Amino acid sequence: MPPLLHPALPLLLGATLTFRALRRALSRLPLPAHVQADPLRTWRWHNLLVSFAHSIVSGIWALLCVWQTPEMLVEIETAWSLSGYLLVCFSTGYFIHDTVDIVVSRQARASWEYLVHHVMAMGAFFSGIFWSKFVGGGVLTLLVEVSNIFLTIRMMMKINNAQDLLLYRINKYVNLVMYFLFRLAPQAYLTYFFLQYAGQRTQGTFLLGILLLLDIMILIYFSRLLRSDFCPDRVPSQQHKDKFLTE
């Protein structure tokens, strides 16, 4: 197994501080008038801008990792590359930053689903970071960030009350296709792979448990997406206004 060329902790700290600095820089950008009028929407907007930047970088990076090291598609446990390792550290830094941002901003109650997701993601990625195992699995998991690009665009347009724009209507169909290709398909493939560890007392069994929980969350999010964008009449008329995961 290739040696770790960079200590894990400085990499994680550097990635986390990078996203913190990015958060501060993006917060200086002009806000849409509708967003600026509401402090909660302002926080959501800034949070989503950082998420959007992370999705663009990580999504493209994950695709490049798979292209450069295609054995990651098969040898999910043992395939390793420096680029893939750095990607997993980079994204873990984002999850650490976003967790702190949500808690410090006192949005934990409204954003508890995000916190649960982040904790599970960090727990899984630590397998690749500290034990150099399942780095390929981490890279495949991060293919979901390609889907998140369009999902974040959708959420930002909803926050800005721009659902009537043509761009929103186009994006909702693109978002649906990307959800299938880069979220549902990789998740199903990884779940199928990790089922071989069922009943064992291994690191793979721990990751299988996380995957199954993520499967449930992803299916719930998918049902919300379909209901909100394609069956709007079924969306409850009153929702928790502070809820971060708006439908």
Side-chain angles (χ1 to χ4, degrees), residues 154-169:
R154 171 188 178 274
M155 294 178 69
M156 295 180 71
M157 294 187 72
K158 292 199 72 171
I159 290 175
N160 197 32
N161 283 355
Q163 297 97 313
D164 295 330
L165 295 181
L166 176 61
L167 177 60
Y168 183 91
R169 295 195 293 271

Side-chain angles (χ1 to χ4, degrees), residues 30-100:
L31 292 170
H34 186 75
V35 173
Q36 190 174 12
D38 187 338
L40 178 58
R41 287 176 183 262
T42 297
W43 176 80
R44 288 178 177 175
W45 185 268
H46 291 151
N47 185 276
L48 287 172
L49 280 177
V50 178
S51 176
F52 186 58
H54 168 254
S55 294
I56 292 175
V57 174
S58 294
I60 295 174
W61 195 345
L63 289 171
L64 288 175
C65 285
V66 173
W67 179 68
Q68 294 172 344
T69 314
E71 53 266 30
M72 286 184 174
L73 293 170
V74 180
E75 300 170 6
I76 293 175
E77 179 176 357
T78 58
W80 192 97
S81 72
L82 177 58
S83 180
Y85 179 79
L86 294 176
L87 169 60
V88 173
C89 290
F90 176 78
S91 289
T92 303
Y94 165 74
F95 291 132
I96 294 172
H97 156 77
D98 200 46
T99 298
V100 173

